[in-house]
Amino acid sequence: MRTVNAIAATSATAPLVRTTVERRDPGPRDVLIEIRYAGICHSDIHTVRGEWGEVAYPLTVGHEIVGHVVEVGAEVTKHKIGDRVGVGCMVNSCRECENCRAGLEQYCTGGNVGTYASVDRDGTITQGGYSTHVVVDEDFVLRVPENIPIEAVAPLLCAGITTYSPLAHWNAGPGKKVAVIGMGGLGHMAVKIAAAMGAEVTVLSQTLSKKDDGLAFGAENYYATSDPATFEALANTFDLIINTVSAQTDINAYLRLLRLDGTLVSVGAPPEPLPVRAFVLFGARRSFAGSSIGGIAETQEMLDFCAEKGIAPEIELIDADAVNEAYERVVASDVRYRFVIDIDSLR
Ligand SMILES: [Zn+2]
Ligand SMILES: [Zn+2]
């Protein structure tokens, strides 16, 4: 075991504090990673505040992790010392169920092992990336192409793959009209990725305050959802809508913007059920769907795609001591577009 520096929540209401966490000695198929940067995902905040259920404290969160390999187990073949690598939202799965065997570990029927707040294979609770080091099975470690700026890589491991996977699955590409609801951490990545795939991208945001950014990220159109005229102008328009908003919305108003056989995919998760009107689905054979992160192979594909297309998240780099302030700003939607913690400030 080794004891490494970290930031942890000690209760649902107390600010995060500097502390240490234990990391297991790398097993034969484990990789020890020296973490360089960790992204702040809204899920981290929901989790530490107990908003998604009870968790055990102290808890270190963080599932957007990038760093370098500093030690490998004897049987590791996929990574070597010095490699630039990433870890996303999962660190293990059953590997035997139908979905795992299909490379869709995020849908493991036995439940995958989350990067934090999950029960690990040794019975301990997993601790995430707001720390200087992490030990992960080589199969759940991604190769990070050198031409993506390292400080900007981390958000690809959650925000990037969460939007890439549904865009790829529902065939965003040339000739397809894709709308993105919300221009936050997830939304801005959805815009960049969908545009790079060749789709015609429209942003549907509360206001026009981020319009210049949206167009710069590759959107062709940008509409304010606070204006009722938007919903009349865009009725029956889109092949695919990616909903990144986790607040309660009038989902039927958005479903009506789908053309025949269009699909609205939710990747944001409001705590309350959404009342979907079946008649709105009937009207144009529309589908309402959900999607969760991506498998390991697809996450690798996403990293390689972003490297090839020159896409990276927009980030605000912060030191470890600024995490509590950053949380308040994330909750207030006051970040363009993802906070990333410089883990050197924890050493
Ligand atoms: Zn996340
Ligand atoms: Zn499985």
Side-chain angles (χ1 to χ4, degrees):
M1 296 268 265
R2 73 190 72 213
T3 303
V4 305
N5 290 346
I7 311 169
T10 57
S11 81
T13 51
L16 276 61
V17 292
R18 282 176 179 253
T19 182
T20 57
V21 292
E22 302 290 317
R23 297 301 189 189
R24 67 174 181 262
D25 290 326
R29 305 204 45 193
D30 281 338
V31 171
L32 172 65
I33 300 166
E34 183 179 277
I35 300 175
R36 295 288 314 283
Y37 298 96
I40 294 179
C41 176
H42 209 145
S43 306
D44 302 347
I45 303 172
H46 288 303
T47 302
V48 299
R49 295 185 175 175
E51 292 163 2
W52 283 352
E54 279 184 37
V55 291
Y57 299 100
L59 177 67
T60 292
V61 291
H63 59 201
E64 296 180 337
I65 299 169
V66 66
H68 291 97
V69 175
V70 289
E71 203 177 311
V72 294
E75 294 167 21
V76 168
T77 59
K78 293 177 176 161
H79 309 284
K80 58 183 193 308
I81 292 171
D83 283 358
R84 182 200 269 199
V85 292
V87 177
C89 302
M90 349 173 241
V91 290
N92 215 337
S93 70
C94 87
R95 302 165 188 242
E96 289 168 358
C97 73
E98 182 182 20
N99 296 342
C100 282
R101 287 202 314 265
L104 299 166
E105 303 88 354
Q106 77 274 36
Y107 303 121
C108 176
T109 56
N112 60 61
V113 179
T115 302
Y116 57 75
S118 270
V119 179
D120 209 348
R121 63 185 187 199
D122 61 4
T124 60
I125 301 295
T126 53
Q127 304 291 328
Y130 298 3
S131 65
T132 59
H133 297 76
V134 67
V135 176
V136 180
D137 186 291
E138 66 165 336
D139 291 338
F140 285 77
V141 175
L142 289 308
R143 297 182 304 280
V144 176
E146 292 288 333
N147 63 331
I148 308 175
I150 188 165
E151 66 279 4
V153 169
L156 292 175
L157 280 313
C158 177
I161 186 60
T162 297
T163 50
Y164 180 92
S165 184
L167 288 167
H169 182 77
W170 277 278
N171 303 311
K176 293 290 178 70
K177 292 186 176 183
V178 174
V180 175
I181 307 175
M183 259 281 284
L186 288 168
H188 95 288
M189 283 313 303
V191 171
K192 288 190 178 203
I193 291 170
M197 287 174 168
E200 181 188 317
V201 181
T202 297
V203 178
L204 304 173
S205 185
Q206 192 85 29
T207 69
L208 297 178
S209 65
K210 298 176 182 168
K211 181 176 179 179
D212 290 347
D213 283 356
L215 299 183
F217 299 159
E220 291 186 31
N221 315 292
Y222 202 109
Y223 287 85
T225 55
S226 52
D227 180 358
T230 292
F231 292 90
E232 285 174 34
L234 298 177
N236 301 298
T237 297
F238 301 106
D239 300 287
L240 178 63
I241 301 177
I242 306 289
N243 178 20
T244 70
V245 174
S246 54
Q248 193 68 243
T249 49
D250 179 1
I251 200 69
N252 297 299
Y254 290 98
L255 285 166
R256 288 188 189 95
L257 306 186
L258 291 169
R259 69 197 297 183
L260 183 68
D261 289 331
T263 303
L264 187 154
V265 186
S266 270
V267 295
E272 301 301 322
L274 289 170
V276 174
R277 288 182 69 85
F279 285 109
V280 175
L281 301 179
F282 296 172
R285 203 160 57 191
R286 299 173 174 116
S287 300
F288 178 52
S291 179
S292 176
I293 51 171
I296 294 298
E298 189 175 47
T299 305
Q300 188 63 59
E301 178 186 299
M302 176 275 306
L303 287 167
D304 296 343
F305 175 86
C306 289
E308 182 197 321
K309 299 288 185 182
I311 300 172
E314 306 293 318
I315 62 156
E316 286 191 41
L317 198 58
I318 59 167
D319 281 353
D321 291 325
V323 167
N324 291 301
E325 186 191 327
Y327 271 25
E328 295 311 318
R329 288 185 50 201
V330 171
V331 171
S333 301
D334 174 28
V335 50
R336 293 194 181 188
Y337 282 84
R338 202 70 151 177
F339 284 113
V340 171
I341 307 166
D342 182 348
I343 297 297
D344 280 346
S345 64
L346 261 184
R347 284 183 229 286

